[in-house]
Amino acid sequence: MTAIGRWLARAEDALLVLLLLALIGVAAWQVLARNLFDGGLLWGDALVRVLVFWITMVGAMVAARSDEHIRIDLLARFLGPRSRAVTQRLAAAFAATICALLAWYSIEFVRYEYEDGTLAFGQVPAWLCQLVLPVGAGIMALRYLLQVRRPIASPERSD
């Protein structure tokens, strides 16, 4: 991994930690405030939903980075190393295509939300909260595309 790749990985990990801490903090405050003070943050529940969405997308980006997404590998158990590598490349190409389509159509979705001026909570525009969708899907598409280009190992010889 290059220096830029390592820096981006650390930034993603740090963002994931910050989002999780914020989620835990806001959710805990909402519970305490409701039980102790009969109140809470008016926008707290909406923020928790947005934080869950962001954690999901950033977590998916991290899983794509380290190639740890859920996969069904029943077929791979019966294939040789070279066939398994080809199958993994095809699966990565399929995942890259799906992520690219998601990124493309989510850009349109975010644009519509921007044009409509919808608010997520308080004065925070909804498009700003949803921006992680096209960015995350685009990054995942690029990562899967890089996995397609990964060299196939030559079959092992028994000389």
Side-chain angles (χ1 to χ4, degrees), residues 42-53:
L42 183 61
W43 43 265
D45 293 337
L47 177 60
V48 166
R49 284 192 300 273
V50 168
L51 288 171
V52 167
F53 180 57

Side-chain angles (χ1 to χ4, degrees), residues 43-113:
W43 43 265
D45 293 337
L47 177 60
V48 166
R49 284 192 300 273
V50 168
L51 288 171
V52 167
F53 180 57
W54 274 68
I55 289 169
T56 301
M57 287 306 296
V58 175
M61 290 167 42
V62 169
R65 174 186 77 207
S66 54
D67 194 22
E68 294 180 359
H69 266 286
I70 296 172
R71 70 183 79 212
I72 300 171
D73 62 349
L74 180 65
L75 182 63
R77 294 173 188 254
F78 300 109
L79 298 174
R82 187 161 177 81
S83 297
R84 188 178 310 124
V86 169
T87 304
Q88 288 172 345
R89 287 178 113 180
L90 290 173
F94 180 73
T97 303
I98 296 301
C99 288
L101 286 169
L102 176 62
W104 177 262
Y105 287 107
S106 63
I107 288 169
E108 198 170 323
F109 171 69
V110 170
R111 184 175 55 84
Y112 288 145
E113 290 291 322

Side-chain angles (χ1 to χ4, degrees), residues 88-159:
Q88 288 172 345
R89 287 178 113 180
L90 290 173
F94 180 73
T97 303
I98 296 301
C99 288
L101 286 169
L102 176 62
W104 177 262
Y105 287 107
S106 63
I107 288 169
E108 198 170 323
F109 171 69
V110 170
R111 184 175 55 84
Y112 288 145
E113 290 291 322
Y114 175 78
E115 290 172 357
D116 288 344
T118 309
L119 295 177
F121 55 89
Q123 294 301 312
V124 178
W127 70 267
L128 195 58
C129 297
Q130 298 158 348
L131 197 57
V132 72
L133 187 58
V135 171
I139 288 172
M140 287 188 290
L142 289 173
R143 285 183 172 155
Y144 283 119
L145 197 58
L146 290 174
Q147 289 178 23
V148 171
R149 297 197 50 193
R150 194 174 14 191
I152 297 177
S154 59
E156 298 174 16
R157 291 183 169 173
S158 56
D159 292 327

